[in-house]
């Protein structure tokens, strides 16, 4: 994106959901967006121009995702576009221009071939090297323009004339490789020069064939890595040359003798770094992986890239007896360590973990997948470097770690906080939302939830950045609306949803995590609350970003999921029900009481029993909710018949749920907070029974000494449900609760990210489970939407109209939330002042705000101050 300098023109020109000037685009007819000139409040018309083409003056207020209708660019084609608008300030200047350039779109655009390293025997997983692949090219004149189009099976770094190209990490990213493989496009205009040039890449296992997930499976997509790279040069005289990867390239093991995304990287430095001018190249091999033959998988990415987004100065370094240094970053993160000024000859070993044991040493025992079993699986996040001491720093690029602490072994002499720093590595999302309030602990909770979310947004929404790093559908489903407040996740989610649909099983079942490595479906998939992401996440994209295209593209996937649930409910009955009643009562065809379910998952005090437990009360609730959401989706997409069909289904399922699970006394069949919360949130309780259900939910909370007892699925709904039903007092009691289980217990025990278990670090200081699992952090949605009161309205997606309805509590003196909506900056803040409350609301151009304190009023664009 080219930032406009004058304030009299539209600015922040966007291509789809991307801010930057886009190279290698895959969409020829993108949707374009812009912000109005400073001070304008209403757009009445716009004109988009690109080259000789223009829309002419279009009388319209549209400026979010406006379809481009100009000439369609061909492969490699570039469109420079700009826009001017008519607003209440009159006619604007033309904006600065933005551009997108198309990537290689068809098989015929590629002359490069896939190659694979010279690897005759495949080493053990976790111990496989980073290969260097190389060729050289003689360029015969001055260069006007040069591009590289690159992708890989594995993770690659592009290196031209000894220089690493670009600032993207972990390329080509993690996708459903069997269906989608992203190609990156690089500008090499200044990296290449007339004469001899070195072309190269480093290539490691990455997600393609490295260790992955809870079960540490490997070779998940194939057992060989491969590279595809095409270099295109336009000379100053207009002539062109194209060279690409192919037989004839050379291969060798790089200085990184071992690298695994999960386990870590080992580097043996050589004087002067890796020598690209070496002579001992071995010939690359032809790929054997059948996927290399499928060119239809190649695609551009709609998402921002993974980058090194921040460096973190350690809070402290302590040295244990024996010389082991313990580095504390002061916060939990995802990424790696940058180590400066190594001394020659030493082998330095870095062990990354999230917690310290009683001796102050780094422990990772709690991160072993099956930590409680007598023979738990290994868990390593260990990097090592053998240094030459010639000034080369150490920074791995083919592994990431979830960590706060690093144990450093083998370093002779002292280590100080200035000798190294943490590097946060994740998707470079544009931050959009903020929250602050008068209570520091609540702010720290907010910060921890934000950090947990962001450090888990590493190309896919992972459950945790250490143990599994899998794009668990359930985790994203519970958090996506909160994530959409904090960051612009539209492109990131667009990418993930496409993979969700690609990996969906033909019967409609959604995989546990996306992308999903295993080709075969295990017995533990298709769970309610997880697979429902297929319906609720696209809906969120519509709600937060007005992205109708993604909603429409995902519709068949959402329908397939619901059909899967419907068919399962209709055709299978739980053995207990058959036994109790051989003849199925009418409503049972809408009960989802078979299949595998995680259930509410991780309720405090409830033992994990994977294949036990009756989850139909959870599953059928999600069935009803997804049917309702799908009906709304169909309505937005103009599919009236479908909408009617899903509405009828929803009503039948709701009826079945009520028949089966609401007793004659109005009590629910399972007496848990989660059950009540979910039922109230999903509207499963008939209106006349709602007050007593709310009262009982409060009784359950009070019976626990005003503690929550919700698990994975309903924790984020708990406070909103209480506030929506007139019990904001109890919601705030839970928010401020600081004995376990509670959110503030985590903060008081030093959490900088949200824990998987409520007692992730128990009262004795013993860690269990992952200490960076964002799902419970969904509570901060309550801070945005209730405490600050900034709420989207379902009827007006993209915040075209929104509400401000703060819920005040005596424990807070002020609160403030800001949100960069698709239309511009909105904010809501309030403060107690001299016995009154002063509210300040900012309403972006082209939008309206329903201010719902006292007598509701509708506010137009601008800043409003209201005192009560
Ligand atoms: C993951 C979760 C996931 C769950 C399924 C765990 O191992 O870390 O976050 O959703 O399994 O219940």
């Amino acid at each position: 994106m080219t930032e406009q300098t004058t304030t009299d023109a539209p600015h922040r020109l966007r291509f789809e959901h991307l801010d930057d000037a886009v190279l290698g685009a895959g969409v020829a007819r993108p949707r374009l967006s812009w912000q109005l000139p400073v001070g304008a409040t209403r757009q009445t018309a716009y004109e988009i121009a690109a080259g000789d083409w223009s829309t002419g003056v279009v009388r319209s207020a549209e400026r979010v995702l406006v379809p481009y209708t100009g000439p369609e660019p061909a492969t490699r084609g570039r469109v420079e576009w700009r826009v001017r608008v008519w607003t209440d300030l009159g006619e604007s200047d033309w904006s600065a221009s933005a551009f997108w350039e198309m990537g290689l779109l068809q098989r015929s655009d590629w002359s490069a071939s896939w190659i694979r390293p010279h690897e005759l025997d495949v080493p053990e997983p976790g111990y496989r090297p980073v290969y260097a692949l190389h060729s050289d090219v003689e360029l015969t004149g001055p260069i006007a323009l040069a591009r590289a189009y690159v992708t890989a099976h594995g993770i690659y770094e592009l290196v031209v004339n000894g220089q690493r190209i670009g600032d993207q990490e972990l390329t080509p990213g993690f996708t459903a490789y069997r269906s989608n493989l992203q190609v990156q496009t690089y500008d090499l205009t200044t990296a290449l020069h007339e004469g001899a040039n070195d072309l190269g890449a480093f290539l490691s296992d990455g997600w393609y064939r490295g260790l992955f997930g809870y079960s540490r499976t490997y070779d998940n997509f194939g057992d060989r890595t491969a590279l595809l790279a095409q270099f295109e040069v336009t000379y100053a005289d207009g002539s062109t040359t194209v060279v690409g990867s192919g037989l004839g390239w050379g291969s060798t093991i790089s200085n990184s003798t071992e690298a695994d995304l999960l386990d870590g990287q080992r580097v043996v430095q050589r004087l002067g770094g890796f020598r690209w001018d070496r002579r001992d190249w071995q010939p690359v091999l032809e790929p054997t992986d059948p996927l290399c033959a499928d060119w239809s998988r190649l695609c551009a990415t709609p998402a921002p890239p993974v980058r090194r987004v921040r460096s973190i100065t350690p809070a402290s370094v302590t040295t244990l007896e024996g010389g082991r240094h313990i580095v504390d970053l002061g916060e939990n993160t995802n990424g790696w360590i940058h180590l400066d000024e190594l001394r020659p000859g030493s082998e330095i070993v870095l062990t990354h973990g999230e917690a310290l044991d009683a001796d102050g040493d780094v422990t990772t025992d709690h991160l072993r997948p099956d930590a409680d079993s007598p023979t738990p699986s290994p868990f390593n996040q260990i990097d090592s470097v053998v240094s030459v001491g010639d000034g080369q720093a150490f920074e791995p690029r083919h592994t990431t770690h979830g960590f706060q602490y690093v144990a450093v072994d083998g370093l002779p002499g002292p280590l100080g906080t200035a000798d190294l720093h943490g590097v946060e590595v994740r998707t470079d999302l544009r931050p959009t939302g903020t929250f602050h309030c008068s209570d520091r602990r609540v702010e720290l909770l907010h910060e921890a939830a934000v950090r947990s979310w962001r450090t888990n947004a590493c190309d896919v929404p992972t459950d945790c950045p250490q143990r599994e790093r899998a794009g668990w559908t359930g985790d994203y489903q519970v958090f996506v609306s909160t994530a959409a407040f904090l960051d612009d996740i539209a492109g990131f989610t667009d990418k993930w949803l496409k993979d969700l649909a690609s990996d969906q099983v033909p019967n409609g079942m959604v995989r546990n995590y996306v992308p999903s490595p295993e080709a075969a479906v295990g017995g533990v998939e298709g769970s309610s609350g997880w697979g429902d992401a297929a319906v609720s996440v696209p809906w969120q994209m519509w709600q937060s970003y007005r992205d109708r295209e993604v909603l429409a593209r995902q519709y068949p996937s959402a329908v397939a999921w619901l059909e899967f649930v419907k068919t399962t409910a209709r055709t299978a009955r739980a053995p207990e029900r058959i036994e109790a009643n051989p003849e199925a009562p009418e409503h049972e065809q809408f009960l989802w009481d078979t299949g595998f379910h995680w259930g509410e998952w991780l309720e405090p005090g409830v033992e994990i029993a994977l294949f036990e437990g009756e989850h139909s009360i959870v599953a059928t609730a999600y069935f009803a909710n997804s049917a309702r959401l799908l009906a709304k989706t169909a309505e937005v997409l103009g599919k009236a018949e479908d909408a009617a069909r899903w509405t009828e289904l929803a009503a039948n399922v709701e009826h079945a749920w009520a028949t089966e699970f609401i007793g004659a006394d109005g009590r629910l069949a399972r007496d848990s907070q989660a059950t009540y919360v979910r039922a109230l949130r999903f509207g499963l309780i008939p209106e006349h029974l709602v007050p007593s259900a709310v009262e009982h939910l409060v009784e359950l909370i009070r019976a626990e000494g005003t503690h929550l007892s919700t698990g994975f699925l309903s924790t984020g709904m708990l406070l909103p449900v209480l506030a929506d039903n007139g019990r904001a007092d109890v919601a705030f009691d839970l928010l401020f609760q600081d004995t376990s289980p509670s959110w503030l217990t985590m903060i008081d025990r030093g959490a900088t990210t949200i824990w998987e278990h409520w007692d992730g670090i128990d009262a004795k200081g013993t860690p269990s489970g992952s200490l960076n699992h964002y799902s419970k952090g969904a509570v901060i949605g309550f801070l945005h939407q209730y405490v600050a009161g900034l709420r989207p309205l379902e009827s007006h997606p993209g915040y075209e109209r929104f509400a401000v309805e703060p819920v005040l509590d005596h424990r807070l003196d002020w609160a403030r939330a800001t949100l960069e909506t698709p239309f511009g900056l909105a904010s809501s803040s309030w403060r107690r002042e001299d016995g009154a409350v002063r509210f300040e609301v900012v309403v972006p151009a082209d939008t309206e705000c329903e201010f719902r304190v006292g007598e509701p009023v509708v506010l137009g664009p601008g800043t409003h101050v209201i005192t009560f």
Side-chain angles (χ1 to χ4, degrees):
M1 184 189 67
T2 328
E3 203 48 73
Q4 176 65 31
T5 43
T6 138
T7 54
D8 301 333
H11 59 283
R12 194 189 275 282
L13 271 56
R14 307 191 87 209
F15 166 96
E16 292 285 306
H17 295 294
L18 295 172
D19 281 325
D20 299 307
V22 176
L23 282 188
V27 192
R29 291 187 173 279
R31 296 160 303 163
L32 307 174
S33 312
W34 56 87
Q35 296 294 330
L36 293 190
V38 173
T41 62
R42 292 271 172 235
Q43 174 183 300
T44 51
Y46 68 82
E47 179 178 9
I48 299 172
D52 302 338
W53 170 86
S54 132
T55 53
V57 179
V58 182
R59 303 229 146 270
S60 164
E62 286 297 318
R63 59 183 176 87
V64 175
L65 298 173
V66 179
Y68 164 76
T69 53
E72 199 166 303
T75 287
R76 305 178 185 87
R78 180 179 169 114
V79 178
E80 301 248 3
W81 69 284
R82 52 195 192 136
V83 60
R84 61 176 171 164
V85 293
W86 284 260
T87 68
D88 50 320
L89 301 181
E91 179 184 331
S92 80
D93 293 343
W94 282 101
S95 69
S97 53
F99 77 88
W100 77 91
E101 182 184 294
M102 300 304 294
L104 304 187
L105 302 177
Q106 290 130 22
R107 170 69 187 96
S108 57
D109 297 326
W110 288 91
S111 53
S113 317
W114 281 99
I115 52 175
R116 73 177 168 91
H118 190 93
E119 181 185 65
L120 302 178
D121 299 310
V122 181
E124 282 292 296
Y127 301 94
R128 297 168 179 169
V130 178
Y131 289 94
L133 304 174
H134 170 262
S135 179
D136 37 43
V137 62
E138 187 73 22
L139 297 174
T140 55
I143 293 156
L145 186 85
R147 295 283 182 263
Y149 304 92
V150 189
T151 190
H153 288 167
I155 284 174
Y156 76 87
E157 294 175 84
L158 181 64
V159 184
V160 171
N161 292 323
Q163 296 302 313
R164 189 183 195 274
I165 302 298
D167 60 358
Q168 303 192 21
E169 301 296 336
L170 309 181
T171 47
F174 190 18
T175 49
Y177 295 127
R178 288 176 226 98
S179 312
N180 308 309
L181 178 65
Q182 298 180 147
V183 175
Q184 280 77 36
T185 302
Y186 300 93
D187 181 5
L188 295 189
T189 310
T190 55
L192 290 169
H193 49 71
E194 186 174 356
N197 291 269
D198 272 321
L199 308 177
F202 291 121
L203 180 64
S204 67
D205 281 13
W207 292 280
Y208 199 82
R209 70 165 191 177
L211 295 166
F212 177 80
Y214 186 90
S215 315
R216 295 168 57 85
T217 54
Y218 54 92
D219 295 348
N220 290 300
F221 295 90
D223 60 3
R224 304 290 163 149
T225 54
L227 178 80
L228 177 70
Q230 182 157 311
F231 303 84
E232 304 194 351
V233 175
T234 307
Y235 292 111
D237 67 2
S239 62
T240 58
T241 188
V242 178
V243 294
S245 50
L247 295 181
W249 277 50
S251 160
T252 190
I253 290 176
S254 75
N255 294 352
S256 293
T257 54
E258 291 163 16
D260 184 84
L261 206 45
L262 214 59
D263 265 9
Q265 186 166 340
R266 175 181 160 81
V267 177
V268 181
Q269 292 187 341
R270 306 204 198 265
L271 278 177
F274 180 78
R275 304 295 304 244
W276 290 94
D277 60 357
R278 64 204 301 135
R279 294 183 178 273
D280 59 348
W281 296 103
Q282 295 168 298
V284 295
L285 304 176
E286 239 174 299
T288 46
D289 188 335
L291 277 181
C292 290
D294 182 359
W295 294 74
S296 69
R297 297 174 304 141
L298 302 190
C299 61
T301 181
V306 171
R307 291 197 175 100
R308 304 152 79 250
V309 296
R310 252 182 88 213
S311 77
I312 305 169
T313 307
S316 67
V317 180
T318 48
T319 305
L320 302 181
E321 229 168 279
R324 174 175 249 212
H325 304 288
I326 305 297
V327 180
D328 176 3
L329 290 188
E331 62 183 270
N332 210 358
T333 193
N334 179 43
W336 54 62
I337 283 287
H338 175 107
L339 195 52
D340 277 324
E341 291 300 319
L342 307 178
R343 278 143 249 177
S346 50
E347 168 155 20
I348 300 157
V349 180
L350 306 165
T351 304
H352 304 72
E354 294 189 295
L356 299 180
D357 64 17
D359 303 325
D361 202 352
V362 172
T363 176
T364 55
D365 288 347
H366 61 106
L367 291 170
R368 293 170 192 264
D370 40 5
D372 297 336
S373 99
T375 51
S377 311
F379 178 82
N380 300 320
Q381 296 190 124
I382 300 175
D383 294 345
S384 69
V385 52
V386 178
S387 63
V388 283
D390 66 347
Q392 289 178 63
F394 166 75
E395 196 174 306
R397 299 304 256 275
H398 294 260
T399 188
T400 58
H401 310 298
F403 70 109
Q404 170 168 349
Y405 302 97
V406 188
V408 182
D409 290 305
L411 187 74
L415 180 72
T417 53
D419 297 328
L420 77 176
H421 60 261
V423 181
E424 186 173 312
V425 180
R426 60 171 174 86
T427 299
D428 196 1
L429 299 168
R430 179 172 63 99
T432 49
T434 66
F435 173 83
H436 293 278
C437 70
S438 54
D439 187 283
R440 188 57 195 145
R441 284 197 304 174
V442 172
E443 285 195 330
L444 286 173
L445 169 65
H446 191 265
E447 283 170 25
V450 171
R451 187 178 292 110
S452 240
W453 148 247
R454 289 192 179 143
T455 53
N456 270 296
C458 190
D459 215 42
V460 303
T462 60
D463 55 334
C464 50
Q466 2 64 10
R467 187 185 64 211
E468 298 179 44
R469 306 158 186 213
W472 280 93
T473 50
D475 304 43
Y476 201 40
Q477 178 269 117
V478 303
F479 199 83
V480 66
S481 64
T482 306
F485 180 92
L486 299 172
D487 292 306
D488 180 349
I489 55 159
F492 176 85
T493 306
D494 176 341
K495 164 183 177 287
W496 186 77
L497 282 172
K498 188 172 148 200
D499 286 336
L500 181 148
S502 297
D503 275 350
Q504 211 165 346
V505 188
N507 70 0
M509 195 185 75
V510 172
R511 309 301 306 275
N512 265 336
Y513 33 80
V514 173
S516 192
E518 303 90 357
V521 176
V524 292
E525 291 196 288
S527 170
S528 53
W530 271 254
D532 294 283
V535 182
S536 57
V537 177
W539 180 247
Q540 192 62 47
M541 290 287 282
W542 168 245
Q543 287 297 301
S544 295
Y545 303 107
R546 297 164 76 80
D547 195 331
R548 189 190 299 264
E549 220 169 80
V550 166
L551 194 68
R553 185 194 70 199
Q554 295 297 128
Y555 185 66
S557 149
V559 168
W561 165 253
L562 207 67
E563 290 289 358
F564 162 76
V565 175
K566 196 176 99 185
T567 307
T568 312
R570 201 186 57 238
T571 54
R573 287 183 78 205
E576 310 84 72
R577 285 205 172 77
I578 298 178
E579 203 175 303
N581 200 349
E583 202 54 44
E586 187 67 18
H587 74 272
E588 270 200 27
Q589 58 179 309
F590 299 107
L591 274 192
W592 188 12
D593 62 356
T594 59
F596 176 80
H597 298 281
W598 300 105
E600 170 64 17
W601 190 245
L602 299 184
E603 284 164 288
V606 176
E607 282 286 309
I608 297 179
L610 265 200
F611 296 97
E612 292 155 32
E614 215 282 308
H615 297 301
S616 57
I617 194 167
V618 179
T620 308
Y622 272 95
F623 183 12
N625 188 56
S626 284
R628 278 274 169 234
L629 286 183
L630 200 59
K632 291 183 198 173
T633 302
E635 209 166 291
V636 169
L637 297 176
K639 299 174 187 294
E641 265 173 45
D642 283 19
R645 190 153 61 93
W646 303 128
T647 303
E648 189 189 326
L649 177 65
N652 283 329
V653 181
E654 284 161 5
H655 170 75
W657 194 92
T659 310
E660 191 73 16
F661 302 120
I662 305 181
D665 57 355
R667 286 286 155 84
L668 304 185
R670 184 173 303 163
D671 201 23
S672 71
Q673 292 180 26
T675 309
Y676 279 86
V677 169
R678 186 170 15 258
L680 287 162
R681 177 65 166 220
F682 290 174
L684 298 174
I685 298 181
E687 207 132 319
H688 68 281
L689 294 176
V690 166
S692 65
V694 174
E695 200 176 307
H696 188 63
L697 171 61
V698 172
E699 278 165 19
L700 290 173
I701 294 166
R702 297 294 188 213
E704 297 287 337
T706 309
H707 286 97
L708 49 74
S709 67
T710 47
F712 218 76
L713 292 177
S714 59
T715 290
M717 307 174 191
L718 175 59
L719 305 194
V721 158
L722 288 165
D724 285 345
N725 289 285
R727 295 311 304 265
D729 57 326
V730 185
F732 280 99
D733 288 350
L734 290 173
L735 177 66
F736 283 97
Q737 175 59 264
D738 57 7
T739 56
S740 181
S742 74
W743 292 283
L744 289 188
T745 302
M746 296 191 200
I747 301 306
D748 290 347
R749 290 183 189 163
T752 58
T753 48
I754 302 297
W755 301 336
E756 180 179 25
H757 302 160
W758 287 110
D759 269 323
I761 292 183
D762 69 13
K764 294 197 202 99
T766 310
S768 72
S770 145
L771 301 183
N772 192 357
H773 245 70
Y774 60 76
S775 66
K776 288 184 175 66
V779 64
I780 64 170
F782 178 77
L783 303 179
H784 310 144
Q785 297 195 13
Y786 291 78
V787 175
L790 190 57
R791 293 192 209 173
L793 292 175
E794 197 175 82
S795 50
H796 294 77
Y799 294 85
E800 194 178 19
R801 184 173 178 136
F802 60 98
V804 164
E805 190 176 353
V807 180
L808 274 55
D809 183 79
H810 63 93
R811 284 158 278 201
L812 290 173
D813 297 328
W814 62 268
R816 179 176 70 243
T818 65
L819 175 65
E820 191 64 51
T821 75
F823 293 92
L825 188 75
S827 79
S828 164
S829 62
W830 58 266
R831 179 182 287 277
R832 294 180 200 282
E833 265 175 13
D834 311 325
V837 184
R838 180 183 185 275
F839 296 88
E840 189 176 310
V841 178
V842 176
V843 184
D846 295 320
T847 71
E848 283 177 334
C849 167
E850 292 178 16
F851 182 71
R852 297 176 179 165
V853 178
E855 198 54 37
V857 284
V858 175
L859 308 173
T863 301
H864 307 265
V865 175
I866 301 164
T867 304
F868 278 91

